[in-house]
Amino acid sequence: MKWSKIIILILSLVPIEFIGLFTDYQTGLLIGYIPFIIVAILMSISIFKFGFKNNISIVIGRCIGIFLSWVCVHLFMNIYDSSNYFKPLTTDIFSLFLGAIYFIFIMLIYLVIYGFSHRNK
């Protein structure tokens, strides 16, 4: 296994949604979602370079990362106080919603990369 795939697999297990949520709630800035975008770009490049069949472990790891994010929201954030900040959703549902947006974002980046590549002929 190449080092780049190992790094991407480790990044897929990180609860990125929780980092974004927590930073957004504490500071009121959207700067916490920058790692969310960077990791999505890296995963899209990896899926494009190696193919989807070779990266199914990354997709499974990302699902585990979304579950870890949901658990971290329950452990480290006061859901009842912070739910007013993330209206109309509660904080834990918003972390799952960010996970779904994450997969859509990966697909959109993949389509953009495919559109500009030499494979699209």
Side-chain angles (χ1 to χ4, degrees):
M1 194 178 256
K2 295 183 180 181
W3 285 104
S4 62
K5 283 185 76 173
I6 293 172
I7 291 171
I8 296 294
L9 183 63
I10 291 171
L11 283 175
S12 69
L13 292 171
V14 174
I16 299 167
E17 293 85 6
F18 171 71
I19 295 169
L21 279 171
F22 192 74
T23 306
D24 184 16
Y25 180 68
Q26 291 296 325
T27 63
L29 301 172
L30 297 176
I31 198 164
Y33 298 109
I34 291 175
F36 185 84
I37 295 168
I38 292 171
V39 173
I41 291 170
L42 290 174
M43 285 186 190
S44 296
I45 292 171
S46 174
I47 290 172
F48 182 76
K49 187 176 179 182
F50 299 114
F52 184 74
K53 289 182 182 178
N54 294 332
N55 286 322
I56 196 71
S57 61
I58 292 174
V59 174
I60 293 170
R62 189 63 240 145
C63 291
I64 294 170
I66 291 169
F67 177 72
L68 286 175
S69 176
W70 183 75
V71 169
C72 287
V73 164
H74 279 280
L75 291 176
F76 301 116
M77 291 182 77
N78 188 351
I79 294 173
Y80 302 111
D81 290 340
S82 61
S83 290
N84 290 332
Y85 185 77
F86 299 110
K87 282 184 180 177
L89 302 172
T90 59
T91 307
D92 56 344
I93 299 298
F94 189 66
S95 71
L96 295 175
F97 180 69
L98 278 177
I101 289 176
Y102 191 82
F103 281 116
I104 294 169
F105 193 63
I106 286 175
M107 286 187 283
L108 288 175
I109 293 172
Y110 180 84
L111 288 174
V112 168
I113 293 171
Y114 181 75
F116 287 114
S117 74
H118 66 282
R119 293 184 192 177
N120 185 15
K121 292 198 180 206

